[in-house]
Each structure stands twice: as structure tokens, then as C-alpha cells.
Amino acid sequence: MTAPACLEFSGVDLEVCARAGLGDLARLRLTGPARRVLEGVNLKLYAGQRVALLGANGAGKTTLLRAAAGVLSPARGVVRVTGRVGWGVADDRAFHRRLTVRAHLALACALLDAPSHEVDRVAAACALASALDQPVEALSTGVRARAALARALVGAPEVLLLDEVERGLDSVGRAALAERLSTPAGGLVLFATHDAQLAALASHVLRVEAGRVAPEVL
Amino acid sequence: MRRALRARARALAALFWRDWLEARAAPWSGLSRAVSLVLAVGSTHLVAQAVLGAPRTDALPGGYFAWLLTGLLFADIAHALVSGAAERLRALQLQGGLEVDLQGPVRGATYVVGLSLFPVVSALARAGVVLAVAAGALGLRLDVTWLGAAQLALGLAALWPLGLVAASVTLIVQRADPVGRLVAAAAMLGSGVAYPREVLPGWAVTASNALPTTPALDALRAGLLGGALSAPAMIALCAGLALGGPLSVACVAQAEAWARRHGRLSAD
């Protein structure tokens, strides 16, 4: 018997719309022109896999991860996710500059319905103990990236989605990330990267080109 | 069921706590707001002195000062109820944090209510301070009963669905709170914030009766200055809450689904 997929995309087309302009509103349209970002994506990924998403800028890697995280719904097709999802993004969108790392992690625990003691666990996993009570605006880029990784690990997700979180990571953070990617774990890790060393840790590689996904042999 | 409710309450508390921490980290903003409120109480008192004896103001319950002050407090609280979540949601939409917050199990109405908690609690606290200052220093006389307090609570609760609708519209049109601005302007013009509605032309009085803010303001004045709410106003508030509540929750759910489908949770 085949194990059920952790993450499945079936015939997924995904469009992102621009904000409606005056002309659109005059035609009673609530959006501007739509741009197709993913097209006909079929994927089945399973627990235990560590899958690297490779591709040029703008190819659709981030969009694919956003769809897997559930913040984008497909125009056509279905995205199915089994288990708790953790989503790590390297930019500042996950952060409120004046709040401490502890406050961010506690908020993530509350919003993801994870136990509060997860704060200490993920902070330890990402070597953040000394930065826990500092506001995000006081952190270096690398420590901030570690905090983003820690936020993604809250609740011990079965499906971990990482969007170029290696950007700005210092050696400690890279070691934590590499450990996460190289240790055989129960869950699925899907990560977008431009880093060849990290991609080499993947058990599978997918290449995204112009919104289409193709498997690539390592 | 109980676990789901507990998770929802925890998410609400966490959102309130986040906004409180953010406000605490920028104390100058809160301090300047408090000072400007105290100045507003003083100018309200002076305006009331200036129009003392003017027709239609002498007979107002509590005197014109109390009447005007409660009107202005209502405008502040109504702004928090109607626009608080929409403004916060727009800021998060621009920053990108909205996607991160809504990536988990927390959905629609719970999230929007969570975003409005801090602005509403702050506005109520501000109102409390203003009333205390006005009662202590400027002779404001309040007449609060249990029934009045219940009417007041009903009046304010009946505005909450408008806040959910305003947040839904902001989510879709990606503009800062067009609904809230309209509601605030209409309330200032027609609900009797600064002058009695009787000074309006007849058709405008009829139109002002249809504004959701009109019975809510009447309820706030009845709650603070004594007097009973009229039966039509009470019915309007109960109907607004009973019908508007579920409809606004459905409205948020639809707007959220639409935003996810069109990639509008963020401003990318």
C-alpha cells in the first residue's frame, strides 16, 4: 500500500491579480489584469522527503510555496496538505520591528495553536536563546533569518516550507538549517534555494521554470 | 468544541497582546494622543460655554457640554469599532504580515475581531479618562444605571458588524478603510454628534434614522447621561446585531476566500 502524500498539487493553475484601477472598477471588476504564475502543476510529495525547489528569480518557487502554505488558492486544480504546515520566509514580512523574538514566537504558538513551551524548544534548535528578548530591529540580518527559521519550526510541522531562508544566515544558522535538511525526519521539507550546497542535501530536486514544475535527477 | 473555542480565545488574546506591545514600544504616540484628548475636553467645554443659551441646546440631557462630549467620545469609539481592524489589516497587508498570520488555522472573523480588540479597548480606556477628567475638573454629571450600561453595551456591540464589513472591503479593494470614512462622515453629519438632529431638514432626519450610528449614539448618551432608549432605537440595535452579526461574519469569510484566490492577502 502506498503511503498518502503529505503535499499534493493536482492540475494547479494559479493566478495573481493586480489591484483594480479606475477602468476595472468602471467595468465592475474588483481586480486588475490577472497574471498566471503557476500552470498545470502536478506534484506528490511524501513524508521523509527533503525536496529542493530550484529555478530562476520569478520562476514561481515562492508562489508554489505560498500555495502549499495555503495563503494562495488555485484558480484551477487542488492543493492538498496533510498535517501541520510550517512556513519560513527570509524577508521581514514575518516580523514586527519593535517586538522581541520571544513575542513573535509566542504569537506564532497562539496563532498556530501550538503549546507555549515550543518557544524555548525552537529557540534552542536555532541557537536563539541569547536573542530571545531583543527586539527584531536590534538583530543582525543573520539572527533575524534564524528567527524566521525558528518561527517556521513552531508546532513541529509535518510539512515544512522554507523560502530561501538561507539568505543572510550566519554559520550557526546554516548549521541549524543543514541539520534540519540532512537529518532523516518524519516530515516533508520543501525548500526553495539558490544555494548549491543546501540543494545537495535534498533527497529530490524540482526545477521550476516559467510556472511549470519538472523533476530533476541529482 | 471546547478546544476550538479555547484556541480561538488564545488567538484573540495573542493579537491583542501583540498590538499592546507594539503600542507600548511607541509611547510618544500614545502620550500625544492622551494630551490631545485632554485639550479636546477643554475646547469642548469652551464651545459649550459659547453656545450656552442657544436655542435647542439648553434642553439637551445633561446640558450641551455633556451632550457634545459624549458625542465626540462616541465618534472616537465608533472609529475604533468600525475602522480599527480595517486600518490594522491594511497595514499588515502592505507589510506582508497578513499572509503570515493567516497561514495557520485562525480564520476570517476571529482574526478581524482580534485586530479590532486593541483599538476598541484603547478607545474605551480613553473615554474613561476623558469622562473622569471632565467629571472631576469641569463639572460633568454622569447618570449611569445598570440598564443604561446594558443599553450602552448593546449600542457599541451593534457597530461591531460594521467593522467586520469595513475590514472585508479593505481586504478586497486594498485601500485604507473606505467604509470607515463614509460611516464616520455620515455619523458626524446625521447622527447628532455635535448638534441635535432636529436642526437637520425633515428628509435628512428621516435619512439619519437609517444610519446604524444613530441608535448607537442614542444608546451611549442614554447609558451615560440617563434616560431610556426609545423602542425603535432598541429594535434597530437588536436587529442590527442579530442580522448584521452573522452576515458580517459571512462577509469576512467570502472576502478572505476571494483574497486568497486572487493573491490579495499581501500587497505583492
Side-chain angles (χ1 to χ4, degrees):
Chain A
M1 196 175 78
T2 315
C6 265
L7 175 63
E8 184 176 357
F9 281 58
S10 305
V12 168
D13 291 347
L14 205 145
E15 293 172 347
V16 173
C17 300
R19 189 161 65 174
L22 210 55
D24 300 304
L25 293 176
R27 288 193 292 275
L28 300 178
R29 286 172 48 91
L30 288 171
T31 59
R35 185 169 56 93
R36 182 159 293 187
V37 192
L38 292 180
E39 197 163 352
V41 176
N42 289 294
L43 272 181
K44 274 189 179 179
L45 303 176
Y46 297 91
Q49 292 182 330
R50 299 178 307 279
V51 183
L53 274 178
L54 305 181
N57 292 333
K61 303 185 297 295
T62 294
T63 305
L64 192 139
L65 289 172
R66 285 165 79 196
V71 296
L72 281 178
S73 303
R76 269 168 294 282
V78 182
V79 178
R80 282 191 202 89
V81 184
T82 309
R84 192 191 281 266
V85 178
W87 183 37
V89 286
D91 53 30
D92 280 352
R93 72 177 63 191
F95 296 119
H96 303 268
R97 292 173 52 243
R98 294 193 182 103
L99 297 194
T100 62
V101 175
R102 185 187 297 281
H104 278 96
L105 296 178
L107 176 70
C109 287
L111 293 180
L112 297 170
D113 195 20
S116 305
H117 58 73
E118 281 282 288
V119 171
D120 294 320
R121 185 188 69 79
V122 297
C126 297
L128 274 172
S130 61
L132 260 181
D133 294 310
Q134 290 184 37
V136 167
E137 64 187 354
L139 301 178
S140 67
T141 311
V143 178
R144 216 178 279 194
R146 270 192 265 157
L149 179 61
R151 193 197 180 283
L153 294 175
V154 164
E158 286 95 358
V159 177
L160 180 61
L161 309 167
L162 302 173
D163 190 1
E164 297 181 29
V165 286
E166 75 277 6
R167 272 192 293 172
L169 268 184
D170 55 13
S171 56
V172 180
R174 284 184 75 86
L177 178 60
E179 189 184 335
R180 181 78 200 179
L181 296 179
S182 57
T183 309
L188 163 71
V189 184
L190 176 61
F191 62 103
T193 186
H194 292 289
D195 186 310
Q197 281 181 325
L198 284 179
L201 297 172
S203 61
H204 299 74
V205 173
L206 297 172
R207 182 164 286 279
V208 187
E209 276 174 20
R212 292 177 177 274
V213 179
E216 182 173 287
V217 179
L218 276 171
Chain B
M1 177 75 176
R2 187 180 292 179
R3 180 175 156 71
L5 281 176
R6 206 170 44 223
R8 208 168 286 183
R10 189 173 167 219
L12 288 177
L15 289 168
F16 174 82
W17 181 64
R18 173 183 70 184
D19 290 347
W20 155 247
L21 287 179
E22 283 213 313
R24 205 182 60 171
W28 289 111
S29 159
L31 202 63
S32 69
R33 204 159 186 173
V35 170
S36 61
L37 265 175
V38 172
L39 294 177
V41 177
S43 58
T44 306
H45 184 66
L46 293 174
V47 169
Q49 295 295 311
V51 301
L52 205 63
R56 296 198 177 102
T57 57
D58 279 354
L60 293 173
Y64 184 58
F65 171 54
W67 197 85
L68 178 59
L69 189 66
T70 48
L72 294 177
L73 289 179
F74 172 80
D76 188 37
I77 297 169
H79 175 78
L81 281 162
V82 178
S83 300
E87 287 173 353
R88 190 83 180 99
L89 189 136
R90 180 65 184 140
L92 286 163
Q93 201 177 32
L94 286 169
Q95 179 228 346
L98 188 61
E99 279 196 335
V100 176
D101 286 353
L102 288 175
Q103 180 255 315
V106 175
R107 285 289 180 270
T110 304
Y111 184 72
V112 173
V113 169
L115 291 186
S116 69
L117 278 181
F118 182 73
V120 170
V121 170
S122 317
L124 291 173
R126 280 196 300 275
V129 171
V130 165
L131 290 172
V133 169
L138 299 168
L140 173 74
R141 269 182 302 188
L142 297 173
D143 182 5
V144 183
T145 61
W146 284 111
L147 176 65
Q151 288 173 349
L152 191 155
L154 174 66
L156 297 184
L159 288 182
W160 221 311
L162 268 180
L164 296 185
V165 173
S168 308
V169 172
T170 293
L171 193 55
I172 289 174
V173 303
Q174 296 202 294
R175 298 278 173 200
D177 192 28
V179 172
R181 277 188 220 144
L182 270 179
V183 170
M188 192 56 85
L189 180 72
S191 289
V193 170
Y195 45 79
R197 279 186 289 138
E198 289 71 36
V199 304
L200 295 168
W203 62 267
V205 173
T206 310
S208 76
N209 286 332
L211 289 174
T213 45
T214 302
L217 174 53
D218 289 348
L220 181 126
R221 286 211 173 101
L224 292 176
L225 304 177
L229 198 58
S230 69
M234 184 71 90
I235 291 168
L237 290 176
C238 291
L241 197 56
L243 294 175
L247 281 176
S248 61
V249 169
C251 184
V252 173
Q254 289 298 317
E256 187 193 351
W258 188 93
R260 283 179 197 270
R261 206 167 49 249
H262 292 88
R264 308 320 284 160
L265 286 183
S266 75
D268 290 350

